[in-house]
């Protein structure tokens, strides 16, 4: 009875911290340097999971979680190592290095938010995927209810239906307040996962309905396109896997490499001025031509271009240039300018093929397909926005990639370590660790 009570208290506390992480999107704490609330709560979640480990250690869960977490964080390692090389070769001031590293570790720390994801999995097992989704939904619904309370339920749903029917061609002053970009992209990733792994139970259908509703209130058109493309690849590869698993996995790896090739070509297209041709053809690029022309002087599409170090472009846009924005609204161009030709290629490889190969290894074809589908989603939504700078999306992608089949991976790990599976991990799919 006491153990069950402790589990309930810990679960409520853990979920409350998760809801707050997803709710406070822009608020910051001044500790001499500015730390976002969400970063602080991500660290609270990880610290809580570490406390749970000290209280009642589950070695296999801990090892499985951390191994996968470091694979997900490989792009961060590439970013740091490549930037240090660039700064060393350029003999830059320590202020430049400090500025770049602070951006990586304080403002958009992939490591902290990936650890927040594995904290869910360590504490709850595979069910952590769903507890995380519930935390996102509670946060998003609280925001929506606040908007409804201020403007009226009639006005909200009237504009919501108009938004959906016109495919976001018409928006109102009320519904635009529900356009919470970061949570929308998080929920888009969950929609891919849920539609690739559908279930028929009532709880799943309720969560799917709420996820779709919250996603549609923000109605990110690029997100809808990304979901459609990711699902097309996911469903297609799953169909192939029914007959030939090895073929499906080979295709998955080939497609992951193809993503790297296409994203490298994407930079060449920008450098050649294709977006300017689109503007001349009457296609609205939302001011991207002006931005791309402004930053054109900072890079060359050539193997000789070594880059400027992480944080360079953001600093230039926010201090030395007058283009009206503080970001280039294109993660790939930003990373190319910061990391250079070869650093950019390494970063892309760590972002897609490395993850696909790791999660799809040892016959885990479905997990590899899921990793590719989520990577394609991330690539598409990041092609027109700075989505990779959304740390909460890092948490969601990590928990979905690592969490699929997590309990089975833990049992396999425990068998390797100790020769058998403990009662804590045997037939207890996703139970709380305490």
């Amino acid at each position: 009875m006491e153990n069950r009570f402790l589990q309930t208290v810990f679960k409520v506390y853990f979920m409350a911290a998760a809801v707050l992480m997803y709710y406070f999107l822009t608020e910051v704490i001044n500790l001499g340097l500015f730390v976002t609330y969400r970063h602080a709560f991500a660290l609270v979640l990880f610290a809580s999971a570490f406390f749970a480990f000290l209280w009642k250690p589950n070695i296999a869960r801990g090892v499985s979680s951390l191994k996968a977490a470091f694979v997900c964080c490989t792009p961060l390692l590439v970013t740091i190592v490549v930037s240090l090389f660039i700064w060393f070769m350029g003999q830059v001031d320590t202020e430049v290095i400090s500025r770049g590293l602070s951006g990586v570790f304080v403002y958009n720390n992939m490591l902290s938010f990936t650890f927040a994801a594995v904290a869910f999995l360590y504490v709850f097992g595979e069910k952590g995927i769903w507890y995380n989704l519930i935390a996102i939904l509670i946060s998003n619904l609280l925001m929506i209810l606040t908007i409804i309370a201020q403007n009226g339920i009639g006005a909200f749903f009237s504009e919501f239906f108009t938004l959906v029917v016109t495919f976001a061609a018409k928006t109102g002053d009320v519904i635009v307040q529900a356009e919470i970009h970061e949570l929308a992209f998080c929920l888009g990733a969950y929609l891919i996962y849920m539609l690739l792994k559908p279930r028929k139970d009532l709880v799943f259908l309720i969560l799917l309905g709420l996820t779709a509703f919250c996603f549609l209130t923000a109605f990110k058109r690029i997100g809808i396109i990304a979901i459609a493309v990711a699902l097309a690849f996911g469903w297609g590869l799953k169909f192939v896997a029914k007959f030939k698993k090895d073929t499906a996995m080979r295709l998955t790896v080939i497609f992951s490499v193809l993503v790297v090739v296409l994203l490298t070509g994407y930079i060449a297209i920008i450098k050649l001025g294709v977006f300017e041709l689109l503007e001349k053809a009457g296609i609205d690029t939302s001011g991207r031509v002006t931005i791309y022309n402004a930053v054109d002087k900072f890079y060359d599409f050539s193997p000789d271009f070594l880059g400027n170090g992480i944080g360079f472009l953001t600093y230039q846009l926010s201090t030395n240039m007058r283009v009206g924005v503080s970001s280039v609204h294109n993660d790939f161009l930003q990373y190319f300018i910061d990391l250079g030709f070869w650093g950019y290629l390494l970063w892309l490889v760590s972002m897609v093929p490395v993850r696909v190969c790791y999660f799809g290894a040892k016959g885990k074809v479905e997990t590899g397909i899921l990793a590719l589908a989520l990577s394609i989603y991330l690539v598409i939504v990041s092609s027109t926005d700075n989505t990779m700078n959304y740390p909460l999306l890092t948490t969601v992608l990590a928990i979905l990639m690592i969490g699929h089949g997590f309990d089975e991976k833990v049992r396999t790990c425990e068998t390797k370590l100790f020769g058998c599976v403990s009662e804590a991990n045997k037939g207890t799919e996703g139970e709380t660790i305490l």
Side-chain angles (χ1 to χ4, degrees):
M1 179 68 71
E2 182 181 354
N3 187 49
R4 186 176 298 175
F5 175 75
L6 286 174
Q7 282 190 12
T8 302
V9 171
F10 186 76
K11 186 183 294 184
V12 171
Y13 153 78
F14 197 91
M15 286 298 294
V19 169
L20 292 173
M21 180 180 75
Y22 286 107
Y23 186 82
F24 292 108
L25 297 176
T26 58
E27 291 80 358
V28 297
I29 309 168
N30 188 352
L31 300 173
L33 52 84
F34 292 101
V35 178
T36 60
Y37 274 45
R38 58 189 177 184
H39 192 178
F41 282 114
L43 293 174
V44 166
L45 291 175
F46 179 65
S48 302
F50 184 67
F51 167 78
F53 176 81
L54 294 177
W55 180 268
K56 189 177 180 181
N58 187 316
I59 304 297
R61 257 195 216 183
V63 170
S64 299
S65 300
L66 290 179
K67 279 174 61 180
F70 283 117
V71 170
C72 284
C73 289
T74 303
L76 175 64
L77 177 63
V78 170
T79 298
I80 294 169
V81 172
V82 170
S83 295
L84 288 173
F85 172 76
I86 292 168
W87 291 328
F88 175 77
M89 293 297 292
Q91 296 182 338
V92 301
D93 295 336
T94 55
E95 181 184 352
V96 174
I97 299 174
S98 175
R99 185 169 62 235
L101 292 179
S102 66
V104 170
F105 284 110
V106 178
Y107 301 107
N108 299 306
N109 193 323
M110 181 181 286
L111 190 64
S112 297
F113 288 91
T114 302
F115 279 179
V118 298
F120 270 98
L121 295 172
Y122 179 78
V123 171
F124 299 114
E126 202 165 326
K127 285 184 180 178
I129 294 173
W130 306 110
Y131 284 116
N132 184 62
L133 175 59
I134 291 168
I136 298 173
L137 291 174
I138 290 172
S139 302
N140 207 337
L141 289 171
L142 283 173
M143 297 175 189
I144 291 171
L145 288 173
T146 302
I147 295 169
I148 291 174
Q150 293 173 346
N151 299 278
I153 190 169
F156 179 86
F157 280 101
S158 174
E159 292 188 11
F160 172 70
F161 288 125
T162 301
L163 178 76
V164 174
V165 169
T166 63
F167 202 72
K170 293 183 180 179
T171 58
D173 295 334
V174 176
I175 196 64
V176 75
Q177 298 174 53
E179 190 178 340
I180 305 158
H181 295 235
E182 190 160 1
L183 295 189
F185 288 126
C186 290
L187 293 171
Y190 262 103
L191 286 174
I192 293 169
Y193 178 77
M194 297 171 86
L195 293 172
L196 283 177
K197 299 292 295 178
R199 289 160 49 179
K200 294 181 180 179
D201 62 86
L202 181 60
V203 174
F204 176 87
L205 293 175
I206 291 172
L207 289 175
L208 178 61
L210 289 173
T211 302
F213 168 71
C214 289
F215 176 79
L216 288 174
T217 58
F219 211 96
K220 300 298 296 179
R221 283 178 287 192
I222 189 65
I224 293 173
I225 294 169
I227 290 170
V229 175
L231 287 175
F233 275 92
W235 285 332
L237 289 167
K238 282 186 68 177
F239 178 77
V240 174
K242 287 183 180 180
F243 306 99
K244 292 280 188 178
K245 284 191 175 183
D246 290 344
T247 301
M249 192 61 219
R250 280 195 293 270
L251 286 172
T252 302
V253 173
I254 290 170
F255 286 139
S256 72
V257 174
L258 186 59
V259 168
V260 174
V261 174
L262 291 174
L263 289 175
T264 305
Y266 180 53
I267 303 299
I269 285 173
I270 295 173
K271 189 66 175 178
L272 290 171
V274 171
F275 276 82
E276 195 167 351
L277 294 177
L278 292 176
E279 283 281 359
K280 291 178 180 178
I283 299 174
D284 183 15
T285 63
S286 302
R288 285 179 176 80
V289 170
T290 301
I291 301 171
Y292 295 165
N293 287 340
V295 302
D296 185 74
K297 62 187 177 182
F298 294 129
Y299 73 103
D300 295 307
F301 186 76
S302 166
D304 295 331
F305 175 62
L306 293 181
N308 301 281
I310 195 67
F312 168 83
L313 187 59
T314 300
Y315 178 75
Q316 294 297 327
L317 287 170
S318 59
T319 59
N320 298 332
M321 303 175 69
R322 296 181 180 179
V323 290
V325 294
S326 58
S327 65
V328 75
H329 293 285
N330 184 326
D331 282 320
F332 302 106
L333 181 58
Q334 177 171 332
Y335 274 90
F336 187 87
I337 292 173
D338 284 352
L339 300 182
F341 187 91
W342 297 109
Y344 176 73
L345 281 178
L346 284 173
W347 176 75
L348 288 178
V349 169
S350 69
M351 186 69 68
V352 187
V354 167
R355 292 177 177 180
V356 168
C357 291
Y358 177 82
F359 291 112
K362 299 178 182 177
K364 307 295 183 184
V365 180
E366 283 200 6
T367 312
I369 292 171
L370 174 65
L372 176 66
L374 292 173
S375 298
I376 289 172
Y377 170 76
L378 177 63
V379 162
I380 294 175
V381 297
S382 300
S383 62
T384 60
D385 210 333
N386 288 93
T387 313
M388 287 185 187
N389 290 331
Y390 291 158
L392 297 177
L393 183 57
T394 295
T395 299
V396 169
L397 293 175
I399 201 170
L400 293 177
M401 289 184 189
I402 300 170
H404 181 60
F406 179 76
D407 295 322
E408 182 185 345
K409 295 171 191 172
V410 169
R411 287 190 286 270
T412 301
C413 178
E414 192 165 42
T415 302
K416 281 186 177 181
L417 290 173
F418 305 110
C420 61
V421 179
S422 65
E423 290 299 321
N425 294 319
K426 186 188 297 181
T428 54
E429 302 294 318
E431 284 195 6
T432 308
I433 201 71
L434 287 177

